[in-house]
């Protein structure tokens, strides 16, 4: 009888310890879409996205790459191209370092049916819960000499990056020459879960739309340019979502 009582008390203590155990990871759920693009009247464009993240991050659900359909301009005064290409992915991680970023590349089709790059850009996934709208300024690489520019124009092969996710990284970007070429609008619905157990907070409701907290902002430099969290004007739509213009480079 005494041994049975001891076993019961031991099992209760074990269950109590398990019930109060600290979580070993946090999750980040992201949905949204690449809505539209405006490239100075260009037509017949499609976009491709790649989500770049750190080594401590693991995908639980959804693809990290996607390729949209070819979009054409409408007949009205609006010159933007509508893609409405969905994004749906869930991560788990043990470290905020290497917070995910979305690398976007837009391509067009020339008169000979060849795929030609129109622009690159990237946007960091906001670390605070809410609905966000981002205006990503796109840019394209420029040839290093006039002769190469002429050869690229004759051959229809403008310079492009070897890896489309290069724009979401920091290494080697200081030696590239680029030009501004258009904008892309992205809508994101972000829901992080479990960050509070690791000592990170979102601040009050007013700060949740203004940007990441100071502690989380220090980790956003793991991939790409950390200035994205501080540069660019912000506004709000009628639905309460945040609009921010991402810097081109």
């Amino acid at each position: 009888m005494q041994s049975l009582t001891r076993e019961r008390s031991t099992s209760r203590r074990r269950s109590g310890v398990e019930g109060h155990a600290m979580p070993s990871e946090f999750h980040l759920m992201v949905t949204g879409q690449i809505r539209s693009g405006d490239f100075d009247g260009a037509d017949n464009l499609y976009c491709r996205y790649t989500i770049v993240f750190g080594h401590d991050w693991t995908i639980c659900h959804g693809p990290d790459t996607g390729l949209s359909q070819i979009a054409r301009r409408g007949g009205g005064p609006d010159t933007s191209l509508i893609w409405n290409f969905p994004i749906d992915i869930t991560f788990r991680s043990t470290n905020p370092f290497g917070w995910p970023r979305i690398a976007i590349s837009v391509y067009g089709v020339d008169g000979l049916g060849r795929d030609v790059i129109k622009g690159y850009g990237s946007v960091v996934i906001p670390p605070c819960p809410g609905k966000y709208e981002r205006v990503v300024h796109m840019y394209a690489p420029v040839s290093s000499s006039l002769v190469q520019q002429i050869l690229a124009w004759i051959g229809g092969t403008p310079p492009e990056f070897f890896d489309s996710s290069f724009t979401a990284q920091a290494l080697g970007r200081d030696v590239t020459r680029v030009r501004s070429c258009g904008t892309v609008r992205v809508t994101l619905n972000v829901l992080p879960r479990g960050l509070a157990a690791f000592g990170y907070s979102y601040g009050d409701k007013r700060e949740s739309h203004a940007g990441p907290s100071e502690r989380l902002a220090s980790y956003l430099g793991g991939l790409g340019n950390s200035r994205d969290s501080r540069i660019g004007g912000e506004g709000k739509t009628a639905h309460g979502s945040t609009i921010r213009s991402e810097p081109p480079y």
Side-chain angles (χ1 to χ4, degrees), residues 120-140:
Y120 298 95
S122 67
V123 56
V124 64
I125 296 177
C128 300
K131 181 180 179 180
Y132 300 84
E133 294 186 13
R134 293 290 187 257
V135 179
V136 185
H137 291 267
M138 309 294 287
Y139 53 88

Side-chain angles (χ1 to χ4, degrees), residues 1-13:
M1 190 66 178
Q2 292 180 354
S3 60
L4 181 61
T5 304
R6 291 178 181 174
E7 290 178 0
R8 289 179 178 177
S9 60
T10 304
S11 63
R12 289 176 182 175
R13 288 195 298 268

Side-chain angles (χ1 to χ4, degrees), residues 169-180:
Q169 304 173 12
L171 297 177
R173 287 175 51 184
D174 54 340
V175 297
T176 57
R177 299 174 57 192
V178 297
R179 59 178 177 85
S180 179

